[in-house]
Amino acid sequence: MAQVNKAKPNKNNEVPKDSENSEAPAEEDAEKKQLEELPPFEVVEGSRIPASSFMFQFKNVEYSSGRNKTLLCYTIERGEGQVFHGYLEDEHVSAHAEEAFFSNVLPQFLTSGPVGVTCYVSSSPCVNCAASIARCLRKNKTVKLRLVVARLFQWEESEIRGALRGISTAGCQLRMMTSADYLYVWQNFVEPDIVLNEEGESEQKSEQGAFIPWEDLEENSRYYEEKLAEILR
């Protein structure tokens, strides 16, 4: 999932707005350059996402250059109040996070009884990942899945639209992230960035406390909700 498509205008000539401007400021250029220079790696699994990575990868803007990985945060609920949290991320040359989760992680929790799964994903699944999700749901009827995504990946492509309808038909509740979802993920899956001071000691960035929504978060979310509704209609 290397890139998210640039959305075409709707009937009102509206597209998801990018408060960062089409010409990315110097600070974001540096951030993207740092991300692009990261070496390839296999799917990484953990419990907390660095705050800067979350804010960059989950941003529901049209401008998506540099957002070349998928982050997936999951909550798995089993009987007797058992709740498990975690996240996965991928790199564009490796396996996708969704396929890794539904093929390798989730099966570990399907030994007995019903399972409720909620996945918060930075971008909607590609065709292959959607196929893995649909197979998992068809095979495991006791799984109740909610897939909550920040952006729609190449939503104008007929294969992608069909793949999204396929996972919906298989039983997945698919919707876009709202500000309430962003706040939930921030509180449960994000950790402050740690930097080194002049003495080489680690310290937390003081400005990273509460989640601060970007200007067009809700407007962009509504735009994508309309597009998703059209696809699933």
Side-chain angles (χ1 to χ4, degrees):
M1 247 187 253
Q3 296 285 337
V4 175
N5 64 296
K6 294 180 74 67
K8 291 184 178 179
N10 62 10
K11 62 182 179 181
N12 297 318
N13 293 322
E14 296 175 345
V15 296
K17 292 185 178 180
D18 182 5
S19 56
E20 299 162 334
N21 201 332
S22 58
E23 294 183 3
E27 182 177 350
E28 185 180 76
D29 283 343
E31 182 180 10
K32 286 188 297 182
K33 184 175 186 297
Q34 180 181 14
L35 289 170
E36 290 168 356
E37 289 177 349
L38 289 174
F41 50 80
E42 297 299 323
V43 171
V44 173
E45 184 174 359
S47 59
R48 293 276 175 172
I49 306 169
S52 57
S53 181
F54 168 78
M55 292 296 289
F56 182 73
Q57 296 293 344
F58 270 87
K59 209 160 194 177
N60 61 351
V61 293
E62 176 197 10
Y63 178 73
S64 59
S65 178
R67 293 176 171 90
N68 56 2
K69 64 173 66 179
T70 300
L71 272 62
L72 181 152
C73 305
Y74 63 85
T75 297
I76 300 175
E77 299 180 50
R78 294 202 302 189
E80 301 180 355
Q82 292 180 308
V83 180
F84 304 88
H85 296 277
Y87 92 94
L88 297 90
E89 64 179 68
D90 63 43
E91 191 71 14
H92 58 91
V93 297
S94 187
H96 289 173
E98 304 99 317
E99 186 171 4
F101 174 76
F102 287 95
S103 299
N104 302 325
V105 178
L106 183 57
Q108 303 173 41
F109 298 90
L110 302 180
T111 55
S112 63
V115 177
V117 181
T118 302
C119 293
Y120 300 89
V121 194
S122 58
S123 181
S124 60
C126 66
V127 172
N128 291 337
C129 289
S132 294
I133 295 171
R135 282 196 301 270
C136 177
L137 292 176
R138 287 194 296 267
K139 181 179 179 182
N140 303 280
K141 299 298 185 180
T142 59
V143 175
K144 302 299 181 184
L145 172 66
R146 287 194 307 160
L147 194 62
V148 190
V149 300
R151 302 185 303 274
L152 291 178
F153 170 71
Q154 295 185 351
W155 58 267
E156 293 175 305
E157 300 293 333
S158 59
E159 287 187 337
I160 292 291
R161 296 167 76 90
L164 294 178
R165 287 191 291 268
I167 61 175
S168 178
T169 301
C172 173
Q173 297 180 19
L174 180 62
R175 65 176 177 83
M176 305 307 301
M177 289 183 69
T178 64
S179 57
D181 297 309
Y182 279 97
L183 178 60
Y184 175 83
V185 175
W186 180 269
Q187 292 175 338
N188 292 277
F189 295 96
V190 176
E191 65 181 0
D193 289 336
I194 302 298
V195 297
L196 297 180
N197 58 24
E198 295 180 355
E199 287 73 33
E201 300 172 340
S202 62
E203 58 183 22
Q204 178 179 321
K205 288 186 177 180
S206 59
E207 69 271 17
Q208 290 175 338
F211 171 65
I212 302 176
W214 46 93
E215 181 180 357
D216 303 311
L217 187 157
E218 286 290 358
E219 183 179 351
N220 293 349
S221 178
R222 287 192 296 269
Y223 172 84
Y224 279 126
E225 284 176 355
E226 293 176 3
K227 294 306 173 187
L228 181 59
E230 292 176 7
I231 293 171
L232 300 182
R233 188 171 300 156

